[in-house]
Amino acid sequence: MTDSSDNNTAPSTSQMWGGRFQAGPSAVMEAINASIDVDQRMAEEDIAGSLAHAAMLGATGIISSEDAAAIRNGLEQVREEARAGKIAWSAALEDVHMNVEARLKEIIGEPAGRLHTARSRNDQVATDFRLWLRAACDRIDAALAAYQSALVEQAERHADQVMPGFTHLQTAQPVSLGHHLLSYVEVAARDRGRFADARKRLNESPLGCAALAGTAFPIDREMTAETLGFDRPMQNSLDGVAARDFALEVLSAAAICAVNLSRFAEEIVLWCTRRFGFAQLSDAWSTGSSIMPQKRNPDAAELVRAKPGRIIGSLVGLLTVVKGLPLAYSKDLQEDKAPVFQAIDDLELAIAAMTGMASDMSFNPRALEAAAGEAYSDATDLADWVVRELGKPFRDAHHIAGSIVKAAETAGVPLAQLPLADMQNIDPAIDERVFSVLSARASMNSRTSLGGTSPVRVREQVAAWKRRLAAAQVSGV
């Protein structure tokens, strides 16, 4: 591998590891063995790990301070070149580790060969991967926090807006639109918790586990772990190089998060149809049809709805790779990064799209309120009134309310327009007070229990979430 401005010839793979071999690999072997097209994304992490390792080698006297300084300066130059996109990654050098080391040798010469003392590509790649995923977890957490903030802002604006709540996609009971939106804030909090848990468990350092058995050199693994921001070194060298459950856990969190986003995306698709007419996305989040000029398609929401297929596929793919591997390292594990990178890319894009749509959506109050009062959505309130005011057991009240609903259906009127006399034909104890609960808005306002949909409760939850999100932003959590 060479810098684009350098005319030196890059060392071949066999020069890096092939002392036992008389010939280089075949073209097919080189192609299947190379991973640089994927793992070059970990160049930053690889260089950080090498800087920590070199500093430790110098501090423990395993290499001279002069060599440690030369390696540090050379790696910093490699990092600058990588950030500037000036490194020509070579498939002949297989992976990011060998590419970085080869470029380092071009810059500083013989001392570069001392960098790999007391480590292996096995612990090196495991360290890089954990560093990369740790940063990914942090980015996803910040993105989900922004998504939550967008939902909280909409919920605050629409705490008093009544809409139909659904079960089985059938109108069930009236709820506050703000309450509905806050439900996804809660969901996102659990998603953030899963990524935080995964981050906590992956934040242990494999560096120093070497190939599989540790090393005879007097290394200081506590030093490298602390330098790289890990909580501690991993305690078993076999586990250090072989474990990939940390990646599986992040993928699991990503798959669940994608499914949760997809559920809201599906609602956006439904709400934006003419049949529902509850909401509309602006031109920024809609597309048109190549043949039907009247169309406004919620393509962003539909694409978010599709992302779980890819992300779940990544999880299943990596589970399948790992499931049959004996300890410690096998080359199969080279296939771990592509599905993870793809899944994280897809998830970050989906979260960004959902945040944009959550901020952008406008709502149709008339359509929401009209739909909230349909299909006798206040029938439960009627039954509750019978229990509360007439002292009936709920099962009896349920039967009375059902009979009144049937009478209203026969008359073709909502419950609030059914004559009192018709209700009294079913239960003579019913009086005119019943009409105070027979509206969608009255139903919504009455649900004041903890976690309920009353606008009073919604505003309390909005305030609580604003405090929580602001506190987390200040603390960096």
Side-chain angles (χ1 to χ4, degrees):
M1 178 197 65
T2 62
D3 183 283
S4 58
S5 63
D6 199 322
N7 294 321
N8 293 335
T9 302
S12 68
T13 301
S14 58
Q15 286 178 306
M16 298 294 289
W17 51 254
R20 183 179 181 277
F21 293 78
Q22 294 182 344
S26 72
V28 173
M29 178 60 195
E30 185 174 288
I32 197 171
N33 199 44
S35 60
I36 187 60
D37 58 326
V38 173
D39 61 29
Q40 64 181 267
R41 290 183 63 165
M42 299 193 305
E44 191 79 23
E45 290 75 19
D46 191 71
I47 294 166
S50 291
L51 283 165
H53 185 67
M56 181 275 296
L57 292 177
T60 55
I62 296 172
I63 65 174
S64 69
S65 58
E66 292 78 13
D67 283 345
I71 291 170
R72 182 189 67 246
N73 293 334
L75 285 171
E76 288 174 350
Q77 180 177 332
V78 176
R79 183 167 57 188
E80 291 175 3
E81 292 174 357
R83 288 174 176 174
K86 293 182 178 179
I87 292 182
W89 304 106
S90 169
L93 290 165
E94 296 182 14
D95 55 35
V96 66
H97 324 299
M98 286 190 166
N99 271 267
V100 168
E101 187 176 335
R103 180 60 186 138
L104 179 65
K105 186 174 182 180
E106 291 174 357
I107 296 170
I108 68 170
E110 187 268 342
R114 303 188 188 280
L115 172 60
H116 210 53
T117 306
R119 75 173 182 184
S120 162
R121 279 190 293 173
N122 295 354
D123 62 334
Q124 190 177 357
V125 69
T127 302
D128 293 357
F129 202 14
R130 285 172 184 264
L131 289 171
W132 192 93
L133 276 172
R134 188 176 70 188
C137 287
D138 291 343
R139 293 196 308 272
I140 289 169
D141 183 74
L144 285 170
Y147 171 57
Q148 288 178 297
S149 294
L151 289 169
V152 168
E153 289 176 10
Q154 285 277 29
E156 185 173 28
R157 287 195 289 270
H158 299 289
D160 289 302
Q161 177 59 60
V162 66
M163 68 172 288
F166 297 94
T167 61
H168 310 281
L169 204 56
Q170 305 292 318
T171 300
Q173 292 177 302
V175 298
S176 158
L177 173 56
H179 188 60
H180 192 114
L181 296 172
L182 284 178
S183 71
Y184 286 110
V185 178
E186 298 283 345
V187 171
R190 293 193 295 276
D191 286 324
R192 292 179 68 186
R194 276 182 280 272
F195 281 105
D197 288 345
R199 187 197 191 283
K200 181 178 180 180
R201 269 183 287 278
L202 71 78
N203 201 37
E204 296 183 338
S205 175
L207 193 58
C209 292
L212 76 161
T215 177
F217 289 95
I219 61 173
D220 185 345
R221 294 191 61 213
E222 296 283 354
M223 177 182 175
T224 52
E226 182 178 355
T227 300
L228 293 170
F230 287 113
D231 293 331
R232 64 192 67 84
M234 296 187 74
Q235 297 302 299
N236 185 287
S237 60
L238 290 167
D239 182 44
V241 300
R244 290 299 183 274
D245 53 356
F246 66 92
L248 291 171
E249 188 171 5
V250 173
L251 278 182
S252 297
I256 295 170
C257 183
V259 167
N260 287 333
L261 294 172
S262 179
R263 295 186 72 180
F264 187 27
E266 166 66 4
E267 293 199 315
I268 292 173
V269 171
L270 291 173
W271 291 355
C272 289
T273 62
R274 291 278 184 178
R275 295 291 178 266
F276 277 75
F278 289 176
Q280 183 171 332
L281 293 170
S282 73
D283 292 351
W285 297 101
S286 306
T287 65
S289 165
S290 63
I291 191 173
M292 295 172 282
Q294 83 280 10
K295 294 291 293 297
R296 177 189 287 272
N297 300 322
D299 281 6
E302 292 173 9
L303 289 167
V304 170
R305 191 174 57 182
K307 291 299 183 186
R310 290 163 59 100
I311 296 171
I312 293 168
S314 293
L315 171 59
V316 173
L318 186 53
L319 282 166
T320 305
V321 168
V322 173
K323 69 172 183 61
L325 297 183
L327 293 179
Y329 182 85
S330 297
K331 193 69 169 184
D332 310 52
L333 292 177
Q334 182 169 289
E335 298 299 316
D336 59 358
K337 286 167 285 298
V340 172
F341 292 164
Q342 183 64 66
I344 297 302
D345 287 348
D346 284 339
L347 182 62
E348 289 188 282
L349 185 58
I351 297 170
M354 290 303 296
T355 303
M357 287 185 285
S359 299
D360 177 85
M361 267 195 303
S362 58
F363 295 93
N364 184 340
R366 290 183 180 179
L368 288 163
E369 186 140 10
E374 292 176 350
Y376 304 101
S377 63
D378 47 1
T380 304
D381 300 275
L382 172 58
D384 288 346
W385 184 89
V386 171
V387 170
R388 191 169 56 250
E389 301 299 330
L390 304 185
K392 304 275 188 180
F394 182 79
R395 288 302 170 199
D396 293 345
H398 187 282
H399 181 76
I400 291 167
S403 298
I404 293 173
V405 168
K406 184 175 181 180
E409 284 181 324
T410 300
V413 296
L415 290 177
Q417 294 180 20
L418 186 69
L420 178 61
D422 290 356
M423 296 187 196
Q424 291 174 332
N425 287 336
I426 296 167
D427 190 312
I430 295 174
D431 59 46
E432 68 279 353
R433 292 176 300 160
V434 73
F435 291 104
S436 66
V437 301
L438 297 182
S439 74
R441 188 163 291 278
S443 175
M444 175 186 72
N445 290 339
S446 72
R447 307 292 168 178
T448 56
S449 59
L450 177 65
T453 193
S454 165
V456 173
R457 299 284 86 84
V458 173
R459 290 193 186 90
E460 288 174 354
Q461 285 301 302
V462 164
W465 271 111
K466 290 174 80 172
R467 289 193 300 270
R468 183 172 170 182
L469 291 168
Q473 188 174 27
V474 169
S475 66
V477 176

